[in-house]
Amino acid sequence: MTDLSAIARSLDDLRESLVAAAAADDRWTRAHPVHRGSAENLAHYVALRHNDIRSLQNDLASWGLSSLGRAEAHVLASVDAVCHAVASLADLPENPSPPPPVDFDDGERLLERNAEALLGAAAGDRRTRIMVTLPSEAADDGAVVAGVVAAGAELVRINCAHDDPDAWERMIAHVRRAERVHGRRVTVTMDLAGPKLRTGAIVPGPAVVKLKPTRDALGRTVRPVQARLVHPAADGVAPASDAPPAIPVTDAAWLGRRRRGDRIVFADSRGSKRVFVVVDTGSAVTVDLADTAYLVPGTPLRVGEDVTEVGNLPTRRRAMTLRIGDELVLDRHTAPADPDAETLRIGCTLPQVFEDTCVGHRIFFDDGRIGGVVESAGPDALRVRITDADLGGSKLRAEKGINLPDTDLQLSALTDDDLRDLPFVVDHADAVSLSFVRSADDVTLLQDRLAELGGEHLGVILKVETVSGFENLPAVLFAAMYSPRVGVMIARGDLAVEAGYGRLAEVQEEILWVCEAAHVPVIWATQVLDRLARTGRPSRAEITDAAASGRAECVMLNKGPHVDLAVRFLDDVLHRMSEHQRKKDSLLRRLRSWDEPPAAR
């Protein structure tokens, strides 16, 4: 067991190094007054984590003392407390020192104050809020918003990458209406889209609709396939999401003459004779089909001598198949790519990629489903060797995300579109989210634009979704704390692709720690209860992920037909976990799980 005098000397040296590091770093002195102590504590924490104190931790634990493993929110106070304990045990004189910028009570209080200022009050006795991303339908369907608010969501998120200001305004009106119904404030956050690094267009496939009935193992039709014959100009209520596919016809009067039992004869695109049987009429004519058919524009539909044609059909989206070892050319040309061409090529939406990417840099497509390495780089094209894809090949489609984790893209975090959207955000939202934050300069740029628009009151949420954003996070936080209300979102989708899936758990832990040191609230985002929101049933893995999310101050759910159910489920999980854990601290409430009746003892 290490001598207490040696431990005391190590602690004194550690404390001196933390104070000296903070004194040499004046960034914390420029923080907003409400964050001044928190910013100094952040400086102490950054200095602490520049040391490897595992040996000292083992020595402290062997004496039954705190090993500084939960010091984030009050670094210097924790070190001082251990110094005092060691001095008392060893009967050593204590070195007088000024009070720390944040004491034990302040740490938790400051974090909760900042969380409430940015995110609003948490519901009930849980400390973690729930945020829900609003779908496009929320603009015209107030029930979508009312459902998530009634289920318990304290925040809603509007993604400026979709829809337009008119739609956003209608969404927010539905939110304010739901507030009045439920008698509580709902925080509205709006995400600026940021620079969109995506694949270009692909030549579309033919305009064709395939209709296929249900068959048994012997190939016999057991249930015909249904379709709806419609006229494009007809007014009516939008069909349900599970309605049969719609096939436009050119003659509205022809539709009006149809009766139940009519047999509509046609030859499909292969020349095969097929027959629709009318089973219902109205604004659309519903038909049954017993055999597989392919319909294209101009296909004649006949009932005796009464004839119309199939109208315009949407073209089919196509994809190119990429296999390990393939060469893909990524270029700046906007012409749609032909997936059947001998040379595989696809466009890129951001020309800056060709200025900054170098040979040897990794590149990922479609949330990391396809990976490669740049083998040659020029001003107009990158040649990429595919190194990661499904064994049978992976499909790459248009408008899929591109990640370049090794490339320092010289891009502004605020695009022209963002600057056009920002006045609306200032006038209507409670907080703005800055996407693809890479450096402190990105944060300063947003703060300057908000000041020009009179939007300093707006909360600022920084989305950490790149490796550079993670590596620069302390500097980003120092800059962010110039604003009175600030938070961080762990955007785990892009971050997992950039940092590597194997490293994601480590990265999100470090983000939680450094944000707690700054008393900055964290939003845990991406695919939380995603399957439950989409299908109505959760997977086992995402339940444990939801339980772990309670260590953040807010959890974000994405849109889905069952998102209100996901909110209720998450609310229950967070309530339960709040009795067992607060940040990194385990809470030892009495457990009744293993209570035995007296007779069993």
Side-chain angles (χ1 to χ4, degrees):
M1 184 178 292
T2 303
D3 179 70
L4 282 171
S5 297
I7 295 175
R9 288 193 296 274
S10 295
L11 286 169
D12 287 341
D13 291 344
L14 177 63
R15 189 188 194 285
E16 185 177 337
S17 71
L18 302 186
V19 173
D25 186 351
D26 67 347
R27 290 176 297 180
W28 65 267
T29 64
R30 300 194 296 272
H32 190 282
V34 300
H35 297 310
R36 194 69 52 75
S38 300
E40 187 177 1
N41 188 71
L42 173 60
H44 290 146
Y45 182 73
V46 171
L48 175 69
R49 298 314 302 266
H50 282 159
N51 293 273
D52 187 338
I53 64 168
R54 285 176 291 181
S55 178
L56 175 60
Q57 286 184 295
N58 288 334
D59 293 340
L60 291 170
S62 69
W63 284 95
L65 298 170
S66 167
S67 60
L68 303 175
R70 295 188 294 273
E72 288 83 4
H74 30 67
V75 176
L76 215 56
S78 297
V79 174
D80 286 347
V82 178
C83 287
H84 175 75
V86 170
S88 297
L89 283 172
D91 198 22
L92 297 170
E94 287 191 57
N95 296 323
S97 55
V102 179
D103 62 27
F104 288 96
D105 292 333
D106 286 339
E108 184 177 343
R109 178 185 60 79
L110 289 170
L111 178 56
E112 185 51 40
R113 181 203 67 186
N114 293 339
E116 187 161 339
L118 177 72
L119 307 169
D125 57 354
R126 60 172 162 83
R127 58 175 294 278
T128 303
R129 291 94 173 148
I130 298 174
M131 173 191 289
V132 174
T133 301
L134 294 182
S136 297
E137 307 89 77
D140 298 310
D141 187 355
V144 173
V145 177
V148 298
V149 174
E154 294 97 344
L155 301 95
V156 297
R157 166 181 173 262
I158 296 172
N159 189 349
C160 294
H162 305 293
D163 308 306
D164 56 37
D166 288 341
W168 305 334
E169 191 163 15
R170 295 198 299 277
M171 290 179 191
I172 294 171
H174 292 315
V175 173
R176 301 310 178 205
R177 192 173 298 113
E179 282 182 337
R180 293 192 292 271
V181 170
H182 295 282
R184 59 181 175 86
R185 178 72 174 174
V186 177
T187 301
V188 174
T189 72
M190 297 188 71
D191 278 25
L192 300 175
K196 299 174 185 175
L197 182 53
R198 299 188 181 278
T199 55
I202 292 178
V203 175
V208 60
V209 170
K210 179 183 178 182
L211 299 174
K212 182 180 180 181
T214 303
R215 300 182 184 274
D216 63 16
L218 298 177
R220 298 172 299 197
T221 298
V222 294
R223 188 170 64 250
V225 61
Q226 284 198 334
R228 294 177 302 115
L229 305 181
V230 300
H231 190 267
D235 294 326
V237 179
S241 58
D242 58 351
I247 299 172
V249 300
T250 57
D251 188 347
W254 182 90
L255 282 177
R257 293 191 291 272
R258 300 287 62 84
R259 298 293 180 265
R260 290 189 182 187
D262 280 356
R263 294 171 61 82
I264 304 171
V265 181
F266 64 97
D268 78 352
S269 62
R270 304 166 298 172
S272 301
K273 182 179 178 180
R274 296 290 184 256
V275 178
F276 283 137
V277 178
V278 177
V279 295
D280 196 13
T281 59
S283 58
V285 172
T286 303
V287 295
D288 279 351
L289 178 68
D291 297 288
T292 300
Y294 293 81
L295 287 99
V296 295
T299 300
L301 303 176
R302 303 176 184 274
V303 180
E305 299 299 320
D306 198 1
V307 183
T308 189
E309 292 182 349
V310 173
N312 292 328
L313 296 170
T315 55
R316 304 182 72 177
R317 294 189 68 192
R318 299 173 72 196
M320 62 177 60
T321 301
L322 296 174
R323 296 175 175 83
I324 294 175
D326 283 349
E327 182 182 83
L328 173 68
V329 177
L330 186 72
D331 66 33
R332 64 166 70 225
H333 300 137
T334 58
D338 182 358
D340 296 326
E342 184 175 348
T343 299
L344 294 172
R345 65 154 294 273
I346 196 165
C348 175
T349 58
L350 280 178
Q352 189 64 39
V353 165
F354 306 99
E355 305 295 330
D356 300 330
T357 306
C358 300
V359 172
H361 285 189
R362 292 170 297 156
I363 184 168
F364 295 97
F365 302 92
D366 193 9
D367 291 333
R369 292 179 176 87
I370 301 169
V373 175
V374 176
E375 290 194 333
S376 70
D380 296 313
L382 305 175
R383 292 191 177 274
V384 177
R385 184 68 60 187
I386 301 302
T387 59
D388 189 12
D390 292 341
L391 292 179
S394 296
K395 302 288 188 183
L396 180 60
R397 304 183 187 277
E399 299 179 3
K400 293 300 180 181
I402 302 174
N403 291 89
L404 292 156
D406 304 324
T407 305
D408 183 15
L409 291 173
Q410 301 301 303
L411 293 169
S412 170
L414 288 177
T415 66
D416 290 342
D417 287 343
D418 296 333
L419 294 174
R420 282 192 293 269
D421 294 338
L422 202 51
F424 179 95
V425 176
V426 169
D427 290 340
H428 294 83
D430 300 303
V432 59
S433 295
L434 182 62
S435 299
F436 301 106
V437 175
R438 291 182 172 84
S439 69
D441 290 342
D442 294 334
V443 182
T444 301
L445 178 62
L446 175 62
Q447 290 167 328
D448 290 344
R449 295 297 177 268
L450 289 176
E452 292 170 5
L453 295 168
E456 297 100 325
H457 65 282
L458 209 63
V460 174
I461 298 171
L462 310 173
K463 296 175 67 175
V464 179
E465 46 198 326
T466 66
V467 168
S468 56
F470 166 69
E471 292 175 344
N472 293 324
L473 187 54
V476 165
L477 288 174
F478 280 124
M481 285 193 285
Y482 299 167
S483 298
R485 299 164 57 217
V486 64
V488 163
M489 177 182 288
I490 310 177
R492 301 184 300 167
D494 283 294
L495 191 57
V497 175
E498 294 235 345
Y501 284 88
R503 196 184 172 204
L504 177 62
E506 174 189 23
V507 167
Q508 71 182 17
E509 288 298 304
E510 293 184 23
I511 294 173
L512 285 168
W513 299 340
V514 75
C515 287
E516 185 177 3
H519 310 123
V520 166
V522 172
I523 302 168
W524 181 291
T526 312
Q527 289 189 316
V528 180
L529 296 177
D530 185 60
R531 180 178 170 186
L532 174 57
R534 289 185 292 103
T535 69
R537 291 182 65 84
S539 69
R540 293 174 179 85
E542 67 184 12
I543 291 173
T544 57
D545 179 55
S549 72
R551 295 172 55 202
E553 283 64 50
C554 183
V555 182
M556 189 187 87
L557 297 175
N558 275 327
K559 52 198 173 186
H562 306 284
V563 69
D564 54 340
L565 177 62
V567 172
R568 290 189 174 89
F569 188 92
L570 181 59
D571 175 69
D572 180 60
V573 170
L574 294 175
H575 269 104
R576 292 173 184 274
M577 293 308 298
S578 67
E579 296 187 339
H580 298 286
Q581 186 136 8
R582 181 177 60 243
K583 303 299 282 186
K584 286 169 64 178
D585 294 339
S586 295
L587 305 178
L588 302 183
R589 76 156 174 83
R590 178 191 169 191
L591 292 180
R592 296 179 173 81
S593 304
W594 304 307
D595 283 358
E596 296 178 290
R601 298 194 187 108

